[in-house]
Amino acid sequence: AAGLAALQLAPSVWFMVNSTRAGLNFDGAGRGFAPQDITLFALTGVANIWQPLYVGIATLALAAFALLRRIRRDAPLWLWLSIGALVLSFGANAFGFDLFYQIAPGYRQFQSQERHAVVIVFALSVLGAYGAHALLGPLRARVRARLNRAGGRVLAGALAAFAATLAVTLFGAAIEPPRPDLGAISSRTALLALALLGSGALLIWRARLGAASRQLWGALLLALLVFDLFSANR
């Protein structure tokens, strides 16, 4: 394995030593997400024009279910992997990159720390897949009750997002001169409200579902994810 890997590793090391990246300073290598970009997990198109961290509200709910139910032994591993990648994705805007910059071999030759979003999204997608797999199987009565309560909390979040949308819309119509950015914020909070509404409704429906309709439930879950992700990233 080491010999086969050397076919790629040896020229890569040679390239790193002789590349102009060897002169990349801390400021050049430390560019990453701004701290407010953490809102991209739920609210898109406000803090950043791109949505690299957005995996959908339903995916976050499924990932939380997988972690709380401890469905797989490796679930915490994916959580810590996503947290570690998130810390590094901030670059010099947060502590963590500094440590890797000093001690990780070759790490100081890479810039644009936002690329860690690939690891974050992949880890959250794995956790979401674990949660979906578990919900497509049979559930105990106790789990159904907890799922029903969790769905109610998500619906409460949908009402809060809808109230925020209404408040921003009314405020934008009342001020003079009008601010175009408020329209973008209200449209994004409206999308968040729809995603929360769909996720909460699916959780409550799954808590009361029999074996016959699981495939229909899974199809509607996929439809919600497609609608949410493609609407947020258009």
Side-chain angles (χ1 to χ4, degrees):
L4 291 173
L7 294 173
Q8 178 61 46
L9 291 177
S12 296
V13 172
W14 182 88
F15 178 78
M16 288 170 59
V17 173
N18 293 278
S19 172
T20 56
R21 288 288 184 90
L24 190 66
N25 58 22
F26 179 82
D27 293 332
R31 289 194 296 268
F33 288 121
Q36 68 265 21
D37 287 336
I38 197 171
T39 58
L40 291 174
F41 283 112
L43 193 61
T44 61
V46 176
N48 197 322
I49 191 174
W50 311 107
Q51 283 71 242
L53 299 178
Y54 191 70
V55 293
I57 302 301
T59 303
L60 294 179
L62 294 171
F65 179 78
L67 290 168
L68 293 175
R69 293 296 304 161
R70 299 180 181 179
I71 296 168
R72 293 278 297 262
R73 289 184 178 180
D74 60 336
L77 169 67
W78 293 105
L79 173 64
W80 288 112
L81 187 64
S82 64
I83 292 175
L86 177 63
V87 171
L88 293 177
S89 70
F90 290 119
N93 294 319
F95 179 76
F97 168 77
D98 314 57
L99 187 63
F100 271 68
Y101 182 84
Q102 295 294 336
I103 66 174
Y107 194 81
R108 61 177 59 198
Q109 296 186 5
F110 293 91
Q111 59 183 349
S112 301
Q113 304 305 319
E114 299 96 331
R115 69 185 71 222
H116 287 90
V118 175
V119 180
I120 300 169
V121 169
F122 183 79
L124 291 177
S125 299
V126 171
L127 289 173
Y130 285 170
H133 178 74
L135 288 178
L136 286 170
L139 299 177
R140 297 180 179 179
R142 182 176 59 182
V143 177
R144 288 174 180 268
R146 292 178 178 175
L147 199 62
N148 190 63
R149 290 195 295 269
R153 297 189 186 101
V154 175
L155 288 182
L159 291 176
F162 177 75
T165 302
L166 190 61
V168 172
T169 303
L170 293 176
F171 178 73
I175 63 173
E176 189 67 34
R179 289 177 51 185
D181 59 323
L182 291 180
I185 293 174
S186 63
S187 65
R188 292 299 176 167
T189 53
L191 181 61
L192 174 62
L194 287 174
L196 287 169
L197 179 64
S199 301
L202 281 173
L203 291 177
I204 293 176
W205 185 29
R206 180 62 190 94
R208 305 174 183 180
L209 205 61
S213 302
R214 287 184 206 155
Q215 292 183 351
L216 176 61
W217 183 86
L220 291 177
L221 172 64
L222 288 176
L224 175 64
L225 285 171
V226 170
F227 172 80
D228 189 8
L229 292 174
F230 279 82
S231 297
N233 286 285
R234 291 186 71 179

